Amino acid sequence: MGTTLMTGASRGLGREAAEHLLRHHPDRHLLVFNRRPGLAAELAAVTGNRNVSEVVCDLASFADIRRAAAEVEGPLDGFLGNAGLQMATTRKLTADGFEMTFGVNVLAYHLLLNLLMPRFTNPARIVVVGSDVHDADLNTLGLIPPPRWDHPRELVKPGEDSAKEGRRAYATSKLGVIYLVHALRRRLPEGVDVYSYNPGLVPDTELSRDAGRFGRAAFRAVGKVLVAMPFATTSAAAGRLLAETMAGPRPGESGSYINKGVVVASSSESYDERREEELWATADDLCGLA
């Protein structure tokens, strides 16, 4: 019986994906990392499948990630990294003093996957959720500014107290996710595949929960309009596709970018081995792995 470790299973498309895995792949043990206890019991109750357990973990703390990773028992044949933040500012910091968006969306996964690497079986599959907003040429209707890459040591520094820059940091972090996946592919043993996954525009998520009362209300109002558009999808549909990418047939060559279940090319900017290796080496140092 295989075990899949999942982050970001408490709400939105992540919750849908977790429930789908438990309902449609009942022989797969699901281990959820969550900031607060009780999620495993919730998932077991709503799906009727008790093949789920949890480890409490705050991805904004390297010490907590190390403790949680040490609590993982047995081999892993899957990892689904869905947890991610979009902050209303670039002033908030992780417990280790790094800008929160980049710290959680990129550095946390770098540390966690490196700590877990000895536990992955052959075969195994790693999926980290990215976003099409990593593409500077994407038309986001003005909602998300394009990414602005810099040396990772600059990206982890706090920036402006600006909602626009907070959203830009999110786009930039998702470009970092693809760089991380490409670099990881070159380091994984035979039989362990890694992918970045784009769920597309999912307006009915709670990604804007840090935006404050009025920001959240505005996002919900816009979301009700966007969810009816042909280029958008619901969290239920996106969650099902994400779950099947994790548990279904091999989606493609390791390192691929998967757009709503289909392997496609990511942005031209996202293929840059120099940046990928620079990010890997810097993240090693920042995470205490060097």
Side-chain angles (χ1 to χ4, degrees):
M1 179 175 65
T3 294
T4 293
L5 193 159
M6 182 176 180
T7 69
S10 63
R11 56 170 66 90
L13 70 94
R15 178 62 174 257
E16 297 286 349
E19 292 185 12
H20 184 92
L21 286 171
L22 289 168
R23 288 192 174 105
H24 298 277
H25 301 274
D27 58 336
R28 178 183 290 267
H29 179 75
L30 185 63
L31 171 61
V32 291
F33 272 26
N34 197 51
R35 288 182 62 190
R36 298 176 182 84
L39 178 58
E42 287 181 21
L43 290 168
V46 76
T47 64
N49 183 355
R50 303 192 64 81
N51 197 14
V52 54
S53 58
E54 69 184 5
V55 171
V56 175
C57 179
D58 182 359
L59 293 177
S61 164
F62 288 166
D64 216 45
I65 291 171
R66 289 180 178 278
R67 175 200 52 75
E71 292 183 21
V72 176
E73 297 180 355
L76 298 172
D77 66 2
F79 178 93
L80 179 48
N82 176 65
L85 295 176
Q86 180 178 305
M87 308 300 292
T89 174
T90 55
R91 301 299 297 174
K92 291 189 178 180
L93 304 180
T94 67
D96 303 278
F98 303 122
E99 191 276 319
M100 183 71 77
T101 303
F102 200 87
V104 170
N105 294 0
V106 181
L107 294 183
Y109 282 117
H110 182 82
L111 176 58
L112 183 54
L113 287 168
N114 271 276
L115 294 174
L116 296 175
M117 205 177 296
R119 294 197 173 276
F120 288 114
T121 61
N122 181 351
R125 187 177 303 172
I126 300 167
V127 178
V128 184
V129 173
S131 173
D132 48 8
V133 300
H134 82 275
D135 186 348
D137 294 327
L138 180 73
N139 181 7
T140 66
L141 305 177
L143 296 174
I144 307 291
R148 184 184 294 150
W149 192 257
D150 201 342
H151 192 285
R153 290 194 182 277
E154 295 301 314
L155 295 175
V156 300
K157 295 178 180 178
E160 299 176 27
D161 189 9
S162 157
K164 178 181 178 180
E165 290 308 307
R167 295 192 297 272
R168 189 189 302 279
Y170 176 75
T172 302
S173 75
K174 292 304 184 180
L175 180 58
V177 165
I178 299 178
Y179 289 152
L180 186 66
V181 165
H182 290 169
L184 182 57
R185 176 190 61 80
R186 293 190 285 271
R187 291 164 169 82
L188 288 172
E190 185 72 25
V192 183
D193 292 334
V194 61
Y195 304 95
S196 51
Y197 186 89
N198 170 40
L201 177 62
V202 189
D204 62 335
T205 66
E206 294 185 35
L207 194 59
S208 64
R209 58 186 177 273
D210 186 60
R213 178 182 175 185
F214 295 109
R216 291 194 300 270
F219 189 87
R220 283 195 296 269
V222 173
K224 289 179 181 178
V225 176
L226 291 177
V227 77
M229 299 295 180
F231 52 80
T233 187
T234 64
S235 57
R240 289 193 297 270
L241 274 176
L242 178 58
E244 287 307 312
T245 298
M246 182 69 252
R250 187 172 187 250
E253 292 299 313
S254 184
S256 296
Y257 176 76
I258 304 173
N259 178 54
K260 293 177 279 191
V262 179
V263 174
V264 301
S266 50
S267 71
S268 58
E269 187 182 11
S270 69
Y271 298 94
D272 188 324
E273 189 167 336
R274 183 194 65 79
R275 286 184 179 181
E276 293 160 8
E277 291 302 313
E278 183 177 69
L279 172 60
W280 188 275
T282 305
D284 268 356
D285 189 35
L286 297 175
C287 294
L289 293 168

